[in-house]
Structure formats: structure tokens, C-alpha cells
Amino acid sequence: VDAPAARLDQQIAEAGIRVVITNAALCEKLPTTVSRVALDTESSALRALFAENPLAAATPDDVAYVLYTSGSTGMPKGVAVTHANVVHYTRAIGGVLGASEGRHFGLASTLAADLGNTSLFPALLSGGTLHTLSKSVTTEPAQYAEYVTTHPLDVLKLTPNHLLALVAGRTGGELAAVLPKQWIVLGGEALRPDVARVLLGAGSCRVLNHYGPTETTVGVCTFEVTADSLEVAQKHGAQTVPVGKPLANTRAYVVDASGREQPVGVPGEFLLGGAGVANGYLNRPELTAERFTDYRGDRVYRTGDRVRRLPDGTIEFRGRSDDQVKVRGFRVELGEIEHVLAEHRGVAQSAVALHATEDGEQRLVAYVVAQTSGYAAAHAAKVTAGEITEWIAARLPEYMVPSAIVMLDALPMTANGKIDRRALPDPESVAVDDGYVAPRTETETKLAAIWLDVLKKERIGVTESFMTLGGHSLLAIRVLGKLSRQFGVRLPLRSLFDTPTIAELAQVVDAEMDAVRQRELAAALASMEGLSDADVQRLMKDEPTETGA
């Protein structure tokens, strides 16, 4: 329900959903075309209904769930995963993680993606305990640390960047204290060797790199990261931590454009077959036929990923062969964002690209040529970067909103008239008249220093928006973690989106610090003997008491 309303309506209609089980607070976000059952307000009526379990009517080949992924034509596509697919994955990943009973699994990601299924189904099918971590726990480092200290986890799966945001600044024993006791599973994006070494250095749990597209059910390859396995991979020239070898009952092929298997060390497209391959795309037979094909008698999914085999048989991810990218663990088709941009009347041309920051994080950047007639004349000005960000945010999920909007006079073109994506400028190199306003208070100065460090900028004005500077939810977690340590206050993730400038956030921080001081003063005064509650209140207002205290 965090998705824009139009996108949510489209998915509900395509999936043929008739009833949604939810809570009262979310009912208003759902279209009127579905019946809504609010568990929190209709509990008494539900208790009066038939209490026996219904007869199981599902077969292994029936669809267990549909997950929507980004689509290059501007319309997300729903992947139909069967019960048999889920059971296969759960048994296979259970064989890797071990068959211990009674373990504690952490679910730290949205159910709108399958990243968390690595914890969800193994917990339920092994008699374990599933910890469904709240949004505040997974977005506020101090709360996360408190939770896992109080409720130790055995297995937790996250994207590498999400984990880094939650444990930023912790090393050695501090890091070990907030990691699970048995396995930290990382997936959704490439794992850097330097990050893997930091986790290994903590020495508190085993580290598993996990790879797989939604179309093959959660994940198909695993690689246990150890000092030795990293050394072997890098000896063979691996640039990232390998994704490993296929799970049981899964088949992997590395092929060239003609379908011939590539020899060891030579990159090719990754084809995946076996028990995890999903039914296809819901109500999209043409797209299903394109991506789910036959290879030597085996039904396979064409991933579009470029990989290569290392001499020991492990697979190394080498990038994409198309415009699909991964951003914070989510799959994104650049064409879908460009489609939304093209619908804005103030946009003449656009292109979207992925840029890597100095610390290896992947960020989306949109390059826009504004319409100089029509829209500009009607609005007395050309469209601005801020207006474009708002337009995209109203139509696409947060992870698909570009971190930067770069306004250009023209897009670079190749000799045959196509956009030259390699010539698109680095967003930091494009001069922007940002109306810079310097920090004016001590709080603003300290906040600016935090933003500069996290957003990797040379200068940030106190009236600039966190989103238009390239901020997103994972960077917001890092900001709030540093803010908590420096100011001694804890703010929810929503703070950086409700008050997106340093000037606005500084007011919130100052008010919260005043509240903390007032609570501390009240507690100190209340502990003083001989003072009544009324005396305490007068002292807090600097009024004299009857005792002259």
C-alpha cells in the first residue's frame, strides 16, 4: 500500500483480486472495487464465523502468490509462482542453512518482494520462530540494535546496503552484537568483497551470498563467503563476491547469443532451469513466451544477466545485457521510468541511467530536456527538477524515483541518431543554480555535516530537499543513525520525507532535544525529597516554590 494509488489499482485489477484482508488504517488506500476485511475492527464478527479449517483445495501446480516487477513498457508484470516452486525453494535453501529446529528467523523486508521469503517459509516449515521486524526497527539503527540484542536472531536476510545502513559505524564486538548468531544472508544486489571482509571480521556468524530472479523463485545460487573462498575467487579475477553454485534440482547454463554453452571464464547469458522456474507472467502470454523458453529440452528462464563460470564451477555475476538494473535490491526497468517521464507535457526528451557512487552504491539518474514551447509558455517557465521528481514519485514506487534529475539543453546522440548513454554526464559535473543558503545555527551546521558525509556532496544548502539531493530510504537510515548518536534524539524514518530540508529538520531536532531536556529535568526534580508535583511544575517554569527551593 506504499505504492502510488494508480499503480496499486492496476495491479489489483490485473490480478483479479476481489477481497483484501488488512487493517482499518489501510482500507482507505484501497480501491472501491475490492471488498475489505479489517482484522482489527472486525475481530468480533470474525470470531463468530465457522472455526474449522477449510479443506485444502490447492494443488502443487496452483499459483501460491504473484509478485510484480518493473516492466520496460511502463506496465509492471506479475510473476506467478506455484506452491511447488515455493516448497522446492524452501527445502533447497534449508539444506544450505542446515536443518536445525527452533531457530529464530528475521523478516526485515517488504512482502511486496520475495527477498524475505528466505526467512518466512523456512521458519514456518521447520518449526522455527519468525520475527516480523517492524518498519521502525528496520529503518532506525538504534531500534534495530535494541531489538536484536533483546531478541537474538539466528538467520537474517538483507540487501548489503540495507545491512550497512543499519550497522554503520560498528566494528568488532559492536558489529558482532547486532548480527545473527548463525547466518547473515545477503541478496538482491552485488556483494562487494570489502563488505564481506568486514562481516567476516566480526566472526559472529557465517556469511551467505544468495542470487536469483523472482521468475525462478527467490534464489537459485548460493556462495558461502569465507576468507579462503574470497581469495580463490579474486585469484581468478572476480570483481564482486561470486553468486556461487545452483541449489539442488536447479540447472544453470551460460550461453552465447547463439545458445552455445560458454567455456570456463567466458561471459554469457545466464539461463536457469529446474523446479524453481515459475509459471510465467500473469495474463502476459507474449512476454512469457519471450522469457520462458526451451533449452535442449529443459524449460528455462532467460535472466538477461551476464555471468561467467570460474574454474571451480562457481558463477560470477558480470552485469546485464539490457536496460534492467538493480537498485537497493529491487529490479528496475529503466524504460518504465522513461515511459513515465515521457507522459509529462513539460518533458521533450529524457534518458535514465545508473550511476555508481564512490562507495559503490548504485543510484538512478534522469536526464531531461525541457519542452521550450507549449508547456513552458502556459506555465511562464520550463519544468523544473523538483516538479519532475514530484511527478515520478506520484506514479512509481520510492525505489524507482531517480536520485538526481539533471536538466540538459540536449541529450548526447550517436551518429545514427540514438541516445549516446555513454556520453551522459556525471550528475555531479553539471552546474546547477541551487540558490545555496548556508547553515545559520549550530544544529543546521551539524546536520549539514551529516548530510555531506552521507550524500557525498561538497556543498548542501539548508533549503535543499533530501530527495532532490539523491536521498532515499537507505540513506535516510544512515542519516538518522548519525543524528541519533550526535544529538541524542531518535526520529522516525518519515522525518526526512516530511521535513526534507536541513532548515525544517533542524527545527524538529531542536524541539525534540528540548523535550528530552524537559523530561530529564522533570525526572531529576521529581527525585528531590520534599517537593510536591506542583513544586516540580513551578520549578520547570522558573517560578518560586513555597519552600523557597
Side-chain angles (χ1 to χ4, degrees):
V1 293
D2 288 335
R7 188 182 181 90
L8 187 62
D9 291 354
Q10 180 265 322
Q11 293 174 6
I12 288 175
E14 181 179 272
I17 294 173
R18 292 178 293 176
V19 179
V20 176
I21 300 173
T22 181
N23 58 50
L26 299 178
C27 281
E28 61 184 26
K29 296 185 178 182
L30 297 169
T32 57
T33 55
V34 296
S35 298
R36 289 155 283 185
V37 177
L39 294 178
D40 52 345
T41 58
E42 301 179 47
S43 58
S44 58
L46 291 172
R47 281 196 294 269
L49 298 177
F50 190 64
E52 298 297 324
N53 286 329
L55 295 175
T59 70
D61 294 331
D62 285 332
V63 173
Y65 59 78
V66 175
L67 286 182
Y68 279 84
T69 66
S70 180
S72 59
T73 61
M75 181 179 292
K77 50 188 184 288
V79 182
V81 178
T82 68
H83 288 273
N85 294 149
V86 175
V87 172
H88 154 260
Y89 172 73
T90 304
R91 288 176 173 171
I93 195 62
V96 175
L97 299 176
S100 303
E101 294 184 358
R103 285 186 296 185
H104 291 256
F105 292 78
L107 178 60
S109 59
T110 173
L111 292 176
D114 59 3
L115 187 85
N117 287 358
T118 303
S119 293
L120 174 60
F121 293 112
L124 297 178
L125 269 68
S126 69
T129 300
L130 181 67
H131 297 247
T132 54
L133 307 184
S134 68
K135 191 169 185 178
S136 60
V137 169
T138 59
T139 57
E140 210 283 297
Q143 283 199 47
Y144 166 76
E146 286 178 7
Y147 187 91
V148 296
T149 300
T150 307
H151 309 282
L153 302 175
D154 295 306
V155 181
L156 176 66
K157 186 181 182 184
L158 292 168
T159 65
N161 277 311
H162 190 178
L163 178 65
L164 288 176
L166 288 175
V167 302
R170 295 177 181 272
T171 57
E174 284 188 338
L175 177 58
V178 296
L179 291 176
K181 295 187 293 183
Q182 295 183 16
W183 287 99
I184 181 70
V185 184
L186 300 167
E189 58 193 16
L191 175 60
R192 304 199 316 265
D194 60 315
V195 174
R197 289 194 183 92
V198 169
L199 296 174
L200 291 175
S204 58
C205 63
R206 298 163 74 178
V207 180
L208 188 72
N209 196 26
H210 196 13
Y211 159 92
T214 298
E215 288 84 347
T216 55
T217 313
V218 189
V220 290
C221 290
T222 59
F223 180 82
E224 183 172 357
V225 187
T226 65
D228 290 342
S229 66
L230 267 184
E231 183 180 355
V232 170
Q234 294 196 295
K235 189 178 294 183
H236 294 303
Q239 299 171 359
T240 59
V241 176
V243 297
K245 297 180 180 179
L247 294 171
N249 297 316
T250 299
R251 294 172 291 281
Y253 310 93
V254 182
V255 304
D256 65 12
S258 301
R260 294 172 297 191
E261 287 205 65
Q262 297 286 60
V264 170
V266 179
E269 184 180 6
F270 206 16
L271 309 184
L272 294 169
V277 179
N279 271 4
Y281 299 113
L282 186 67
N283 302 327
R284 306 285 290 277
E286 292 182 3
L287 188 57
T288 298
E290 176 187 335
R291 305 299 295 188
F292 294 82
T293 61
D294 179 86
Y295 183 76
R296 298 180 181 176
D298 193 5
R299 183 172 182 268
V300 300
Y301 171 69
R302 295 181 53 201
T303 68
D305 288 339
R306 288 184 59 77
V307 301
R308 66 170 185 148
R309 291 188 190 275
L310 301 182
D312 63 355
T314 60
I315 303 292
E316 180 199 6
F317 176 77
R318 302 283 287 188
R320 290 288 300 175
S321 57
D322 55 20
D323 289 336
Q324 185 188 109
V325 298
K326 274 290 187 77
V327 179
R328 287 147 37 212
F330 292 97
R331 231 164 66 185
V332 174
E333 294 277 3
L334 299 181
E336 183 172 3
I337 305 173
E338 292 173 351
H339 180 86
V340 170
L341 284 167
E343 292 179 331
H344 194 296
R345 292 192 302 160
V347 174
Q349 284 182 295
S350 67
V352 180
L354 198 67
H355 276 267
T357 62
E358 291 181 359
D359 58 2
E361 184 182 355
Q362 303 290 339
R363 296 186 183 181
L364 291 168
V365 178
Y367 298 86
V368 175
V369 177
Q371 193 67 258
T372 56
S373 60
Y375 179 90
H379 294 77
K382 293 189 291 186
V383 66
T384 66
E387 291 169 345
I388 291 173
T389 297
E390 291 179 2
W391 172 267
I392 298 174
R395 290 159 176 80
L396 294 175
E398 183 262 342
Y399 64 86
M400 294 182 71
V401 178
S403 296
I405 307 291
V406 179
M407 306 301 295
L408 299 175
D409 293 329
L411 295 177
M413 309 296 285
T414 63
N416 59 1
K418 294 183 178 181
I419 296 173
D420 187 355
R421 295 182 180 273
R422 294 184 179 182
L424 291 169
D426 187 303
E428 298 298 328
S429 69
V430 181
V432 178
D433 180 11
D434 54 14
Y436 175 75
V437 178
R440 299 153 298 189
T441 67
E442 181 181 357
T443 301
E444 287 184 352
T445 300
K446 290 180 178 179
L447 285 175
I450 293 174
W451 284 34
L452 289 169
D453 179 45
V454 172
L455 295 171
K456 308 302 180 187
K457 302 284 186 181
E458 294 183 0
R459 187 182 74 165
I460 296 177
V462 297
T463 59
E464 295 180 76
S465 169
F466 181 73
M467 283 289 290
T468 58
L469 287 167
H472 53 69
S473 56
L474 292 188
L475 292 180
I477 294 173
R478 296 185 188 183
V479 168
L480 294 176
K482 290 176 178 290
L483 186 152
S484 176
R485 290 191 292 274
Q486 183 154 0
F487 292 96
V489 300
R490 287 160 56 169
L491 301 178
L493 181 67
R494 197 67 242 169
S495 301
L496 273 172
F497 299 95
D498 291 339
T499 53
T501 68
I502 289 173
E504 293 171 309
L505 188 62
Q507 295 181 30
V508 175
V509 171
D510 285 338
E512 186 63 24
M513 286 197 296
D514 285 342
V516 170
R517 284 192 289 267
Q518 290 290 325
R519 289 194 293 269
E520 290 175 346
L521 177 59
L525 293 174
S527 66
M528 298 172 64
E529 294 182 3
L531 291 181
S532 66
D533 290 342
D535 289 335
V536 170
Q537 292 300 319
R538 280 191 288 271
L539 277 173
M540 291 177 66
K541 296 178 182 179
D542 293 326
E543 296 176 359
T545 66
E546 295 179 1
T547 60

